Amino acid sequence: MTDNVKLSVADVRDLAMAAMRGRGFGKDEAAATVEALLAAERDDLPSHGLSRLPFYLDQAASGKVDASAVPRVETEGAVVRVDAAYGLAFPAVEQGLKAGYQCAAQLGIAAVSIAHSHHFGVAGASVEAAARQGYLALAFSNAPSAMAPWGGKRPLFGTNPIAFACPRREDDPLLIDLSLSKVARGKVMMAKLHGKPIPEGWALDIEGQATTDPDEALAGSMVPAGDAKGAALALMVELLTAGLTGSNFGFQASSFFDAEGKPPSIAQLILLIDPQRFSSGFVEHAESLFAAMLEQPDVRIPGERRFQLRREGDGQVTLSTSLVDALESHAAAR
């Protein structure tokens, strides 16, 4: 059984920053990454939190991630082009949003396109930030291949998350955050770790047949959410991200989970819309829809649970001792 330890957010931040600086990341790039991972922990999304950091650090050590990369931002009209330069995604997203807000304030709309990127964590984080600035926001990312096209056997598409956020009058934003596989691939990995079967309907083996064996599932293909519809949406995301930027499609991208080979070089697209440019009464009109939803028992606004967990947090983060040891080892590499 894995031993865990509870640490204050401040102590975890210091440790994670030291680990990233130990592997050569710049201060600003490290801070953007650490804050994103801490936010995932705060929202009870540990699969996208600090557990990801050793993978990033191992890849920096091997050269699969360029720790010295600084995002390059170029704006042309409503288009913001960001080159993550084979570094991590978080600083590229941060810089892209800053430029995107300026464009959207001037033009009413902005498209932030991020090339040669990496895993960008919780998809909802970037759109939530935009909604708190008053924007409607959509985010898309492709990922290394895990799903076959509908009717096929060989994975070509990533699980390709989609997120959407809408500002509200007084409350936290509406926040929709989902991947396009029926369940997250991480659930299959957890089943393998614990030696348990997975429910039928989650995944297919390499022959395209339903399987309950997690090893066969990981070698095969995840089932898309909504079956053919989910596969079509995953294809759409591939084209809106990697297609627009000349980055790697899912089947061309290397794994996020090992330090071998070339950079994944995947891509993101974030769309920002100023609703006031379309209708000055947008927020009030949207609230009438939300109110109608909440009149029904057991209905909640998407994102509510995440924000509630955040408010109930105790200011501490639970990490495995092996993760703490790994971060301390990377910190000592400096």
Side-chain angles (χ1 to χ4, degrees), residues 39-46 172 300 303-316:
E41 296 285 349
R42 179 184 62 185
D43 290 352
D44 195 29
L45 298 168
D172 290 311
R300 64 185 182 193
E304 250 181 33
R305 180 180 177 275
R306 184 177 299 187
F307 299 131
Q308 182 179 349
L309 288 168
R310 188 182 300 177
R311 288 189 292 270
E312 294 173 350
D314 61 2
Q316 294 186 304

Side-chain angles (χ1 to χ4, degrees), residues 195-211:
K196 296 181 178 180
I198 60 173
E200 190 165 334
W202 281 15
L204 308 175
D205 64 18
I206 59 173
E207 298 300 326
Q209 301 299 311
T211 183

Side-chain angles (χ1 to χ4, degrees), residues 63-320:
K64 187 173 181 176
V65 164
D66 185 354
S68 67
V70 176
R72 297 189 290 271
V73 182
E74 181 181 63
T75 301
E76 182 179 353
V79 175
V80 177
R81 291 186 291 270
V82 184
D83 185 350
Y86 307 106
L88 294 177
F90 303 105
V93 170
E94 182 178 80
Q95 294 303 313
L97 283 176
K98 285 181 182 178
Y101 295 153
Q102 294 178 352
C103 282
Q106 294 174 353
L107 302 172
I109 194 165
V112 181
S113 182
I114 303 168
H116 308 307
S117 191
H118 202 278
H119 177 251
F120 84 146
V122 176
S126 58
V127 292
E128 179 194 340
R132 293 189 186 279
Q133 296 289 326
Y135 298 106
L136 285 165
L138 272 163
F140 309 91
S141 181
N142 75 323
S145 60
M147 292 197 305
W150 191 247
K153 299 178 182 179
R154 183 167 68 94
L156 295 181
F157 312 145
T159 53
N160 294 4
I162 294 177
F164 171 76
C166 173
R168 297 194 62 193
R169 183 175 52 205
E170 296 175 352
D171 295 297
D172 290 311
L174 174 148
L175 178 60
I176 297 169
D177 186 347
L178 52 91
S179 69
L180 292 177
S181 55
K182 188 166 287 187
V183 298
R185 199 163 187 250
K187 290 187 176 182
V188 179
M189 297 176 75
M190 289 300 292
K192 175 181 178 179
L193 181 65
H194 294 293
K196 296 181 178 180
I198 60 173
E200 190 165 334
W202 281 15
L204 308 175
D205 64 18
I206 59 173
E207 298 300 326
Q209 301 299 311
T211 183
T212 60
D213 184 318
D215 288 303
E216 291 182 353
L218 291 170
S221 174
M222 299 298 295
V223 173
D227 299 328
K229 294 177 182 179
L233 288 171
L235 170 59
M236 177 191 77
V237 173
E238 293 285 350
L239 294 171
L240 286 172
T241 56
L244 284 178
T245 62
S247 302
N248 283 339
F249 290 121
F251 77 97
Q252 298 168 323
S254 61
S255 173
F256 291 152
F257 295 105
D258 63 48
E260 309 303 319
K262 296 180 179 179
S265 190
I266 51 94
Q268 287 91 30
L269 177 68
I270 303 171
L271 302 178
L272 305 175
I273 300 169
D274 181 357
Q276 296 297 111
R277 299 295 188 97
F278 293 80
S279 169
S280 60
F282 170 81
V283 172
E284 292 300 325
H285 192 39
E287 288 296 330
S288 69
L289 173 59
F290 303 148
M293 292 169 60
L294 294 174
E295 287 175 359
Q296 302 186 43
D298 303 320
V299 171
R300 64 185 182 193
I301 302 300
E304 250 181 33
R305 180 180 177 275
R306 184 177 299 187
F307 299 131
Q308 182 179 349
L309 288 168
R310 188 182 300 177
R311 288 189 292 270
E312 294 173 350
D314 61 2
Q316 294 186 304
V317 178
T318 300
L319 301 179
S320 68

